[in-house]
Amino acid sequence: MKNKILKFSFLILALVAGLTSCDTEPLDGGVTDGNPNNNNGQASFSVTFSGSQYLTNTVSAEIESGVLSITAVSSEGMFMIQSMGATVGTYQNSQVNIAYMDAESGEIYSSINPISGNSSSMLTIASINQQNQTINGTFQFGG
């Protein structure tokens, strides 16, 4: 159990390492209020990997200081995505960090190579609608 907590703590530390300030930038309506359970069941996060589909409605997305952070949690595990950009476009490698923690095994799969520190990832944001509080896009990473 202590090992899982240590792994999770390392994941959180690795994902926020690029942040230098945490001032909240005001948005017209914002993307979310930061509470992943406050989306009235309308939010969704779906990923297909290794022949399996990961789907959850417990998801939050926040934009702070131009950094987009998405967290999706289910009984299977947790995805965390952090992009150094929060506008429509494609972000790659050091511009985006992606991680998945498997709930059963406690294993963490991260786009950040633990030896080199380089990231192998890509996030394409197709649209951001702040009024409807939606973000659409795709991502991929090797972890």
Side-chain angles (χ1 to χ4, degrees):
M1 180 66 151
K2 186 176 180 181
N3 193 20
K4 285 183 182 182
I5 293 171
L6 182 61
K7 286 182 182 180
F8 182 70
S9 297
F10 178 73
L11 170 69
I12 299 294
L13 179 63
L15 288 175
V16 297
L19 293 176
T20 56
S21 117
C22 291
D23 295 331
T24 301
E25 294 180 8
L27 298 172
D28 297 332
V31 177
T32 70
D33 63 2
N35 183 348
N37 298 312
N38 206 16
N39 60 36
N40 300 322
Q42 296 177 13
S44 67
F45 184 88
S46 176
V47 177
T48 302
F49 65 97
S50 300
S52 299
Q53 184 174 19
Y54 172 97
L55 177 66
T56 185
N57 289 344
T58 306
V59 59
S60 68
E62 298 178 309
I63 299 172
E64 287 188 26
S65 301
V67 175
L68 170 65
S69 298
I70 300 172
T71 303
V73 180
S74 80
S75 60
E76 298 172 43
M78 176 175 58
F79 270 95
M80 297 179 74
I81 301 171
Q82 183 182 54
S83 171
M84 296 304 148
T87 60
V88 172
T90 299
Y91 302 91
Q92 298 185 91
N93 301 324
S94 64
Q95 297 172 317
V96 62
N97 296 322
I98 303 170
Y100 173 72
M101 185 178 91
D102 183 87
E104 186 176 323
S105 68
E107 289 292 321
I108 298 172
Y109 305 92
S110 174
S111 63
I112 301 172
N113 182 305
I115 297 169
S116 70
N118 295 327
S119 178
S120 171
S121 56
M122 183 170 64
L123 170 69
T124 300
I125 300 173
S127 67
I128 297 177
N129 185 322
Q130 294 179 3
Q131 183 176 353
N132 292 328
Q133 297 183 335
T134 60
I135 298 174
N136 293 304
T138 59
F139 68 91
Q140 63 185 23
F141 76 103

